[in-house]
């Protein structure tokens, strides 16, 4: 089995703490590590950025509460509790045949969570699992999932959108700043994300 474990700690002193985690389950790390390795010292001005890519593991959905009892799930919980990030991003990939299921407007009924939202080039965004969103993070924290087509079905264009989204998240110090920056490029998607958040969480989180 190919080893994909990767850890990078960027420290620029006082400021927000961001934690980016990829390869959360299955063999997604084969794709997500390509993006995570491109994030570096110049992507934040202050604070810290922790980047962690997991080794391949058996696939368990993060929507399944049993995920957080698995060795990989427990490790991610440990890292969150250690660094207490105000920005938490999970980098995932998906197979093209699952696109319709992930973006299905009825996903809340079928899987208990809102559908993911496409930015462009097949790159999708949404919230992290509700099993950790309210339990481990504050209302004002940034908690996002980003997905791109997996390596065998993706493209250079989707990878570039994926990396650029991560850089925008990393370089934004507050939810308000991130929302403004994303809203200038993806206004319809940001408004949809707000609506899904209100429907799912009430006023928690605001975006």
């Amino acid at each position: 089995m190919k080893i994909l474990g990767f850890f990078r700690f960027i420290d620029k002193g006082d400021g927000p703490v961001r934690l980016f985690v990829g390869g959360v389950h299955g063999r997604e790390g084969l794709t997500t590590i390509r993006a995570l390795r491109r994030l570096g010292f110049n992507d934040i001005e202050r604070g810290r950025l922790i980047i962690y890519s997991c080794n391949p593991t058996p696939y368990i959905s993060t929507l399944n509460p049993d995920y957080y009892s698995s060795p990989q799930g427990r490790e991610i919980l440990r890292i969150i509790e250690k660094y207490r990030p105000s920005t938490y991003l999970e980098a995932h990939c998906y197979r093209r045949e699952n696109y319709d299921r992930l973006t299905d407007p009825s996903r809340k009924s079928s899987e208990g969570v809102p559908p993911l939202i496409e930015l462009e080039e097949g790159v999708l965004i949404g919230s992290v699992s509700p099993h950790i969103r309210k339990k481990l993070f504050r209302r004002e924290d940034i908690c996002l999932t980003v997905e791109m087509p997996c390596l065998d079905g993706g493209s250079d264009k989707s990878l570039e959108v994926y990396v650029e989204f991560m850089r925008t998240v990393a370089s934004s110090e507050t939810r308000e700043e991130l929302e403004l920056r994303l809203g200038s490029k993806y206004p319809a998607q940001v408004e949809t994300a707000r609506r899904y958040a209100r429907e799912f969480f009430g006023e928690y989180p605001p975006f």
Side-chain angles (χ1 to χ4, degrees):
M1 180 178 290
K2 187 176 181 180
I3 301 300
L4 296 172
F6 173 75
F7 183 84
R8 176 174 289 164
F9 186 96
I10 298 166
D11 189 349
K12 288 194 173 181
D14 293 339
V17 177
R18 304 92 161 165
L19 173 61
F20 286 19
V21 178
V24 170
H25 40 202
R27 297 177 61 80
E28 291 183 343
L30 288 166
T31 296
T32 61
I33 197 169
R34 295 175 64 194
L36 292 172
R37 284 186 178 276
R38 290 174 59 175
L39 301 176
F41 191 76
N42 293 329
D43 288 314
I44 63 171
E45 291 195 6
R46 65 188 194 101
R48 289 179 287 172
L49 173 59
I50 300 100
I51 304 166
Y52 176 54
S53 181
C54 310
N55 284 318
T57 55
Y59 185 93
I60 305 175
S61 171
T62 56
L63 299 179
N64 182 341
D66 291 341
Y67 175 82
Y68 297 99
S69 298
S70 71
Q72 190 60 72
R74 290 197 303 270
E75 177 68 5
I76 289 172
L77 293 180
R78 185 190 69 79
I79 294 173
I80 292 172
E81 289 165 359
K82 177 177 180 179
Y83 292 109
R84 298 291 180 183
S86 58
T87 293
Y88 175 64
L89 181 143
E90 283 185 1
H92 293 262
C93 75
Y94 66 93
R95 299 206 173 277
R96 284 286 188 182
E97 59 265 28
N98 292 326
Y99 176 90
D100 289 343
R101 178 180 62 82
L102 294 171
T103 59
D104 185 352
S106 64
R107 190 176 184 225
K108 185 178 177 182
S109 299
S110 61
E111 298 187 43
V113 291
L116 298 179
I117 302 161
E118 181 170 0
L119 296 179
E120 57 182 315
E121 300 296 339
V123 175
L124 312 176
I125 63 166
S127 179
V128 298
S129 170
H131 295 300
I132 62 172
R133 178 60 179 95
K134 287 188 177 182
K135 182 178 179 181
L136 298 180
F137 296 96
R138 302 168 301 166
R139 182 181 187 273
E140 63 269 25
D141 289 340
I142 299 167
C143 297
L144 292 168
T145 288
V146 59
E147 303 232 16
M148 68 170 283
C150 290
L151 188 63
D152 56 357
S155 68
D156 289 342
K157 287 183 178 180
S158 59
L159 180 61
E160 292 305 317
V161 172
Y162 194 71
V163 171
E164 185 58 31
F165 176 79
M166 288 188 189
R167 286 183 168 144
T168 300
V169 175
S171 59
S172 298
E173 297 196 1
T174 65
R175 173 177 292 281
E176 292 76 14
E177 179 185 356
L178 176 61
E179 196 167 337
L180 284 170
R181 293 174 66 188
L182 289 178
S184 67
K185 188 170 185 178
Y186 303 110
Q189 291 92 327
V190 168
E191 184 53 41
T192 299
R194 287 197 193 101
R195 176 166 56 84
Y196 286 166
R198 287 193 298 268
E199 292 172 355
F200 189 76
F201 292 101
E203 288 304 313
Y204 180 105
F207 169 55

